[in-house]
Amino acid sequence: MRNMSARRLLAAAAALALASGSLAACSSDSTSGSGDSGDVTPASQINFLSGWQVGDGTGNFLAAAVEAFAKVQPDITVNVETVKFDDLKVTVETESVANEMPDLITMNFTGENKPWLDDGLIADTTSYLTDWGITDKLLPGVTDAWAYNGKLGGFPYQTGSWPMWYNMDLLKAAGVSEVPTTIDALKDAATKLKANGVAALCYPGKDWGGAGFFWLIDQLYTGAADIQGIMQNGGFAASDAAQQGIDLLGDLRDSGVLIDNAAGYGYEDCANAYDQSKVAMAFFGSWSFTQISEPILKVTQLGGFPLPDGAAFDKPIAFATGGNGILMSQAAADDPAKVAAIKAFMDFLYSKDALQLWISDPGNQIAAVTSEASGPSTSTNVMLQQNATLWDVAEPATLQDLYVKSGVDITPEITWFIGTQGATAADLAPRLDALWQD
Amino acid sequence: MTTPASAPTRRPRHPARGGNGALAAFTVPSLVWYLLFMMGPLVAMFVIATLNWGSIAAHPKFAGLANFAKLLADERIGTALINTGIHLFATLPFQVLGAFMIGYFLAQRPPGHRIFRVVLFIPALISTAQLGTMFSVVLGPDGLVNGLLNLVGLGDHMRAWLADTHTALLCVILVSIWNGMGFNAVLFSARLASIDQSIYEAAELDGASHWRRLWFVAFPISLDFVSVMTMLQFLWSLFGSAALILILTEGGPGQATSTLSWLVYRFAFGVNGSPLIGYSQAIGILLFLLGVVGLVIIRRFIKQRY
């Protein structure tokens, strides 16, 4: 991993060196639309709160973009304040209370920040996306992840997936030649893998990864409409289909398909176990494309979660995720000069070359934008290429981020369920339903 | 009748009293600071508990006593009360009485006592974040404990210690004890070292064993200090468990390690968005009242009796 990181660092440095030139070149046409803001003189400063860390693909891209933007728009300075991604929420709320709300913020749009639209912290970007010509460029369905109460919470910039990862070397060594697409095949593969001394499926029962996995498995029988209702209002105890999904997970736990002591594993633990070939199957997001070492990526096949008999889907299922985007503060939206400056910057970020640079690092996943240059099939990264054809073999499931009631966290109950042999849907369903009481 | 030659007509004003007034004036800034920054947050806690407040960036709405009504009906509060009680009653004897025994041992200055002091003090030098991270690894599925069990042929007993309903709270308790007992022992040894050695010698001449000298000589003499330590340890355990729980278990599995202190944090900062700051402070008031009652009880039953 260390050698690989060093290689990536060198690659990133090379990309950065190229970036200034390419972005500066592309910007001559990309900023030409900034005059659409009428006679308003753009503000001289844009304050950008970023969770994209310098040193990885996202942060390096932003640094290069800001530097290149400064060359073509010397009158507008983008001040980037970088904080840990996990600290973004608290930082935004604290700065808003101190009347120092940043103009732009890099974030996912989740239950954590959706209330900011109601509280007037961030702006509805619907009209900006349309008026600035961004909507036409976006991939179909990308804005779904940014919708809340009839508004859009930001500028989508990144999209991704959360599929099953299969280590084909380990599967073949155990005598399994194909990715399992049914639960029976999954169980059979697990038996063979265990006989070969390898754990079958890493379930991150300790943290959010396990909660996400639960939502995927639980909708196998319900289908989209029912699970959306349950995500919003609870109601596991009243849904036979939801309970079937829970019992399926319990069956996988008790029949040894899951790694031993799965309740103690977090997402990162599973990533490490997969990277060390201790486990043959896992459920990772596309944000882990840069996390796993190259030799393991080369033998990895992406796919969906296998279907049981009577499933509500036709193909194995996985999540299509929204990814990061850029939120705009309401304070900035209320200031025409700021809006003009932000428009210039957005024109720049959504230019073809900027997007091409964005996806050149697989850690940035896929741009949320359709353009000749930004198609994932043009990438040389093996995972991005696979990801581009993921939906040929898998069907998108309902992502919980879009529907689960704000404030509900099922993780502790999932940890309990995964760690309690013999626990059934009858045990878990009322415990889960209680979480929607708040 | 005679009239006293020098009957006092008025008690003379104490010359220093005027000076005290002037001196008292100098304490005003401190008092103002104390009222603003110490009493202010306390009052704010009671005010916020009456609000329906989604996040510090949201507009709070007055909710009256709704948060308290919700608190009484919330099963999670009952579970957290029980867990808080278990955590307190399991840790306090070790943190106070166990530490006192070790402190007595150290005060006897046995060979190598300086090294013992350093070793015992080391856990106090580890931050809570480090402590939690360290024990997350030690108690994890591939951690040291399971590794040792596997090594000695007890692989069947390997488990996810922090994610198992039967062991998670026990693990939190043991980590708390590991973290605090040595530090308290060093404090106790400092107090016990100040006891005149001739008292121990007299007791020894009377045939008192170490055990009897510990509990019938040293303990009664140090009872004032024991009382203070018990109060401090009680407050640390009652209010401070959230940090360790956040890192080790996040209150799970289920509600197995959820304490009142954890719930104050959990509702204040929310999960998946949506904090309930007013409700969090209502739980904080319950915690505050428990703290006051606990302190009164400790003061009532542990005090110097001579």
Side-chain angles (χ1 to χ4, degrees):
Chain A
M1 283 294 280
R2 184 172 295 173
N3 288 338
M4 180 139 178
S5 299
R7 279 203 302 277
R8 284 189 181 134
L9 202 63
L10 284 171
L16 276 173
L18 290 170
S20 300
S22 61
L23 284 179
C26 77
S27 57
S28 56
D29 65 300
S30 65
T31 53
S32 59
S34 60
D36 294 350
S37 298
D39 298 331
V40 177
T41 305
S44 61
Q45 309 269 333
I46 297 173
N47 296 318
F48 197 143
L49 180 66
S50 171
W52 295 347
Q53 305 299 310
V54 175
D56 68 22
T58 53
N60 291 342
F61 164 80
L62 184 61
V66 167
E67 190 182 331
F69 181 68
K71 287 179 182 166
V72 293
Q73 289 280 6
D75 295 336
I76 304 173
T77 305
V78 180
N79 305 309
V80 179
E81 177 192 0
T82 304
V83 298
K84 248 180 76 183
F85 192 83
D86 292 344
D87 295 338
L88 276 171
K89 178 175 180 281
V90 172
T91 306
V92 170
E93 293 191 341
T94 308
E95 292 189 352
S96 76
V97 172
N99 282 329
E100 292 179 359
M101 184 74 177
D103 303 315
L104 299 174
I105 307 143
T106 62
M107 271 188 113
N108 290 14
F109 193 55
T110 66
E112 280 198 347
N113 49 21
K114 282 178 182 172
W116 291 352
L117 268 174
D118 297 331
D119 298 334
L121 259 68
I122 57 172
D124 174 9
T125 55
T126 308
S127 61
Y128 301 111
L129 284 166
T130 309
D131 297 346
W132 296 352
I134 297 171
T135 305
D136 299 335
K137 297 179 180 177
L138 294 176
L139 289 165
V142 157
T143 52
D144 292 352
W146 292 83
Y148 175 68
N149 285 350
K151 301 173 183 174
L152 291 177
F155 299 92
Y157 206 70
Q158 179 189 50
T159 185
S161 61
W162 195 352
M164 286 289 294
W165 295 39
Y166 298 94
N167 182 323
M168 294 311 295
D169 267 7
L170 293 177
L171 283 163
K172 284 174 185 167
V176 181
S177 56
E178 299 283 327
V179 164
T181 55
T182 67
I183 291 296
D184 289 341
L186 176 68
K187 286 183 175 176
D188 180 56
T191 306
K192 289 174 177 169
L193 284 162
K194 288 186 82 173
N196 213 30
V198 177
L201 173 59
C202 196
Y203 192 102
K206 190 175 76 171
D207 63 16
W208 54 269
F213 209 165
F214 170 84
W215 283 118
L216 185 84
I217 293 173
D218 198 48
Q219 61 186 281
L220 280 167
Y221 295 99
T222 65
D226 285 355
I227 202 68
Q228 285 169 16
I230 291 171
M231 286 172 176
Q232 285 164 342
N233 308 308
F236 292 91
S239 167
D240 290 341
Q243 293 195 49
Q244 267 184 290
I246 296 173
D247 280 332
L248 171 64
L249 178 57
D251 181 35
L252 297 178
R253 174 201 60 206
D254 294 342
S255 58
V257 173
L258 309 187
I259 194 169
D260 288 345
N261 298 313
Y265 280 82
Y267 183 93
E268 298 302 325
D269 301 320
C270 281
N272 288 332
Y274 188 83
D275 198 37
Q276 294 165 19
S277 294
K278 289 180 178 174
V279 63
M281 298 178 278
F283 182 56
F284 297 142
S286 50
W287 56 89
S288 292
F289 286 169
T290 52
Q291 193 176 4
I292 305 297
S293 60
E294 219 166 312
I296 302 297
L297 291 180
K298 281 182 177 165
V299 298
T300 292
Q301 177 73 49
L302 299 183
F305 188 80
L307 299 182
D309 290 337
F313 294 87
D314 298 323
K315 285 193 282 191
I317 57 174
F319 288 134
T321 61
N324 267 211
I326 300 168
L327 281 56
M328 179 179 177
S329 75
Q330 186 61 51
D334 292 340
D335 179 350
K338 282 279 186 191
V339 172
I342 289 169
K343 180 186 184 307
F345 191 51
M346 286 298 164
D347 284 346
F348 187 86
L349 288 181
Y350 281 93
S351 68
K352 190 182 287 184
D353 287 350
L355 290 163
Q356 183 61 55
L357 180 71
W358 170 256
I359 66 155
S360 65
D361 188 309
N364 294 344
Q365 306 171 60
I366 307 135
V369 173
T370 305
S371 79
E372 205 174 304
S374 63
S377 58
T378 63
S379 171
T380 55
N381 181 273
V382 62
M383 298 312 284
L384 285 182
Q385 286 176 359
Q386 277 203 45
N387 197 80
T389 56
L390 174 64
W391 305 116
D392 295 342
V393 294
E395 195 172 338
T398 300
L399 183 65
Q400 71 279 2
D401 286 357
L402 307 181
Y403 298 99
V404 171
K405 183 186 163 191
S406 190
V408 169
D409 180 19
I410 64 169
T411 305
E413 298 302 339
I414 300 306
T415 307
W416 170 81
F417 185 72
I418 294 298
T420 307
Q421 291 280 316
T424 65
D427 303 315
L428 181 63
R431 296 171 70 121
L432 288 175
D433 285 338
L435 300 175
W436 271 258
Q437 285 173 356
D438 287 340
Chain B
M1 285 191 57
T2 56
T3 307
S6 58
T9 52
R10 190 199 282 181
R11 196 174 174 184
R13 199 169 176 182
H14 196 285
R17 189 157 292 177
N20 279 348
L23 281 175
F26 284 105
T27 66
V28 169
S30 301
L31 283 172
V32 169
W33 182 90
Y34 182 82
L35 285 173
L36 271 179
F37 294 103
M38 304 300 281
M39 298 306 290
L42 190 64
V43 174
M45 181 171 74
F46 284 87
V47 174
I48 294 171
T50 64
L51 301 176
N52 181 5
W53 197 4
S55 78
I56 58 168
H59 303 294
K61 293 173 189 157
F62 184 66
L65 298 177
N67 286 326
F68 296 98
K70 181 179 175 180
L71 190 145
L72 292 174
D74 193 338
E75 287 180 10
R76 290 170 295 189
I77 301 298
T79 306
L81 260 173
I82 293 169
N83 288 340
T84 302
I86 292 172
H87 185 259
L88 270 175
F89 286 107
T91 54
L92 270 182
F94 288 97
Q95 302 277 38
V96 177
L97 299 180
F100 184 81
M101 292 168 73
I102 298 172
Y104 175 82
F105 168 73
L106 290 175
Q108 304 310 304
R109 298 176 179 273
H113 70 95
R114 289 182 201 281
I115 295 171
F116 279 129
R117 276 176 207 275
V118 172
V119 170
L120 286 167
F121 201 78
I122 282 174
L125 300 174
I126 299 174
S127 70
T128 308
Q130 280 176 297
L131 185 75
T133 308
M134 189 170 76
F135 277 97
S136 290
V137 174
V138 169
L139 298 165
D142 292 326
L144 185 67
V145 173
N146 280 346
L148 286 174
L149 285 172
N150 199 30
L151 196 68
V152 298
L154 294 172
D156 290 346
H157 295 279
M158 286 163 55
R159 61 176 70 200
W161 298 94
L162 293 169
D164 188 311
T165 313
H166 302 104
T167 56
L169 185 57
L170 178 66
C171 288
V172 172
I173 288 168
L174 290 175
V175 174
S176 301
I177 291 171
W178 183 89
N179 182 230
M181 196 166 159
F183 176 72
N184 290 352
V186 173
L187 295 184
F188 275 124
S189 79
R191 168 67 183 94
L192 291 169
S194 69
I195 295 175
D196 194 333
Q197 285 298 310
S198 63
I199 297 176
Y200 290 129
E201 288 163 8
E204 196 174 355
L205 284 173
D206 287 342
S209 63
H210 265 305
W211 185 255
R212 292 186 70 81
R213 273 179 272 159
L214 167 66
W215 294 116
F216 296 103
V217 176
F219 191 73
I221 291 175
S222 316
L223 210 51
D224 53 345
F225 192 74
V226 171
S227 173
V228 170
M229 288 295 289
T230 307
M231 283 192 284
L232 289 176
Q233 200 57 54
F234 168 76
L235 294 177
W236 285 336
S237 297
L238 187 67
F239 298 138
S241 62
L244 200 54
I245 288 170
L246 172 67
I247 300 169
L248 288 179
T249 63
E250 297 200 8
Q255 301 285 313
T257 56
S258 176
T259 62
L260 288 173
S261 159
W262 160 251
L263 286 185
V264 170
Y265 170 85
R266 182 232 183 277
F267 285 113
F269 292 93
V271 281
N272 190 24
S274 199
L276 298 168
I277 297 176
Y279 189 49
S280 158
Q281 295 310 294
I283 301 170
I285 288 173
L286 174 64
L287 204 55
F288 173 79
L289 294 175
L290 285 175
V292 171
V293 170
L295 289 186
V296 169
I297 292 172
I298 292 168
R299 286 291 296 167
R300 172 74 182 78
F301 288 101
I302 308 177
K303 60 182 177 184
Q304 206 82 50
R305 299 185 189 282
Y306 65 90

